[in-house]
Amino acid sequence: MKKNLAWLVCGVSLIASQYTYAAESVTIFAASSLTNAVTELSERYQQQSDVNSRLSFASSSALARQISQGAPADIYISANVKWMDYLQTQQVIENESRKPLLKNSLVMVAPLSYPKDTVTPSASWNLAAALMDTRMAVGDPNHVPAGRYAKQALENLGIWQAAKSHLARANNVRSALVLVERGESNLGVVYKTDAKISNKVKIVAELPDSSHTPIRYPMAIVKGKATPAVQDYYVFLQSEEAKTVFEKYGFEVVSAN
């Protein structure tokens, strides 16, 4: 009887082990500007592997702080090199897994009802008049990568002094986009990828890449989380299929070479 029971327990353990991988989940912490692309990729990956995705989207700074305090992330994708540097300094990522993944750019957007289709941001521009009694929506330059890039661009274009008292500071770039979509802000500075996924705004100016630090999205596996499931997901995010999805949403994929 004991022998039969031992075989039964062993058999159950073997069966359970066969389904452990299928039942696994991978938790992705990603910058809010990646919401659409990473959501679609997670749906595709689940269909292929039966591995579930837990997704958390917020500003890169908020996510990095959460990870440094022990939040259960497996993979982190930042919209800013600075916050990946921060986590590397804190020794909470697998250093060899850190890779540049994507590039982005900045644009100025307006509601579809805005009277002009193009504007020319410059030191001589009457920003207050262009805003028409609203504020310019940006990610908070003190905390949000998109806001930091926006501040750099506005400084280099000679607009920052006029703009800084007319800002609607959002807690992430998607929130800044929503302010423009609702018409609460007549102008906003967001990533080009965010503008492309909205049917409620129009791009009225593309801000020169030379006006701000290059916008790069690095990716890394969190320290101690390099399980086979996480490593497979990490590889998938660099696949040709993932590249197609990222490019569909307007990102430029960084070559692995």
Side-chain angles (χ1 to χ4, degrees), residues 198-246:
S198 175
N199 59 7
K200 297 179 180 179
V201 303
K202 57 186 176 183
I203 296 174
V204 293
E206 299 205 18
L207 304 187
D209 289 342
S210 59
S211 67
H212 55 79
T213 302
I215 301 172
R216 299 289 185 267
Y217 289 64
M219 171 178 68
I221 296 174
V222 176
K223 194 81 169 180
K225 298 298 185 70
T227 65
V230 170
Q231 290 176 336
D232 286 350
Y233 201 118
Y234 170 81
V235 170
F236 171 73
L237 289 171
Q238 300 168 73
S239 67
E240 284 299 314
E241 181 176 357
K243 178 180 178 181
T244 300
V245 173
F246 283 129

Side-chain angles (χ1 to χ4, degrees), residues 2-248:
K2 289 182 179 179
K3 183 176 181 181
N4 290 339
L5 180 60
W7 276 108
L8 177 61
V9 171
C10 181
V12 170
S13 298
L14 286 171
I15 292 170
S17 68
Q18 291 174 6
Y19 289 93
T20 298
Y21 186 84
E24 282 196 80
S25 294
V26 175
T27 302
I28 313 295
F29 276 30
S32 58
S33 52
L34 288 163
T35 300
N36 296 75
V38 171
T39 298
E40 178 172 335
L41 284 170
S42 73
E43 292 169 353
R44 289 183 178 221
Y45 191 67
Q46 183 170 346
Q47 291 173 359
Q48 297 173 21
S49 67
D50 289 333
V51 174
N52 296 317
S53 302
R54 295 191 181 106
L55 307 178
S56 180
F57 300 105
S59 69
S60 299
S61 57
L63 296 174
R65 291 191 182 101
Q66 291 170 23
I67 292 170
S68 71
Q69 294 168 8
D74 296 320
I75 296 173
Y76 173 56
I77 311 176
S78 176
N80 185 284
V81 171
K82 170 188 172 181
W83 289 107
M84 190 64 80
D85 290 343
Y86 167 77
L87 289 185
Q88 189 162 352
T89 301
Q90 297 290 312
Q91 299 182 353
V92 292
I93 62 169
E94 300 288 355
N95 292 340
E96 68 279 5
S97 73
R98 177 176 175 170
K99 287 188 177 181
L101 183 65
L102 305 167
K103 300 178 184 179
N104 211 338
S105 57
L106 282 184
V107 296
M108 191 168 287
V109 294
L112 295 179
S113 60
Y114 191 70
K116 292 187 177 181
D117 289 330
T118 59
V119 298
T120 306
S122 67
S124 60
W125 188 36
N126 188 336
L127 177 60
L131 287 169
M132 300 166 56
D133 296 323
T134 67
R135 291 178 174 268
M136 179 181 289
V138 297
D140 187 345
N142 293 327
H143 304 288
V144 180
R148 294 179 186 274
Y149 295 129
K151 180 181 178 181
Q152 290 177 355
L154 296 175
E155 284 176 335
N156 285 320
L157 293 170
I159 306 169
W160 178 248
Q161 289 304 314
K164 64 182 182 179
S165 60
H166 292 85
L167 296 181
R169 299 170 183 252
N171 60 3
N172 61 62
V173 69
R174 285 297 174 91
S175 296
L177 178 66
V178 168
L179 291 174
V180 181
E181 288 180 330
R182 292 175 178 170
E184 296 174 27
S185 293
N186 276 323
L187 294 171
V189 179
V190 299
Y191 294 127
K192 188 173 185 178
T193 51
D194 292 299
K196 286 190 69 171
I197 58 94
S198 175
N199 59 7
K200 297 179 180 179
V201 303
K202 57 186 176 183
I203 296 174
V204 293
E206 299 205 18
L207 304 187
D209 289 342
S210 59
S211 67
H212 55 79
T213 302
I215 301 172
R216 299 289 185 267
Y217 289 64
M219 171 178 68
I221 296 174
V222 176
K223 194 81 169 180
K225 298 298 185 70
T227 65
V230 170
Q231 290 176 336
D232 286 350
Y233 201 118
Y234 170 81
V235 170
F236 171 73
L237 289 171
Q238 300 168 73
S239 67
E240 284 299 314
E241 181 176 357
K243 178 180 178 181
T244 300
V245 173
F246 283 129
E247 289 178 343
K248 182 176 85 171

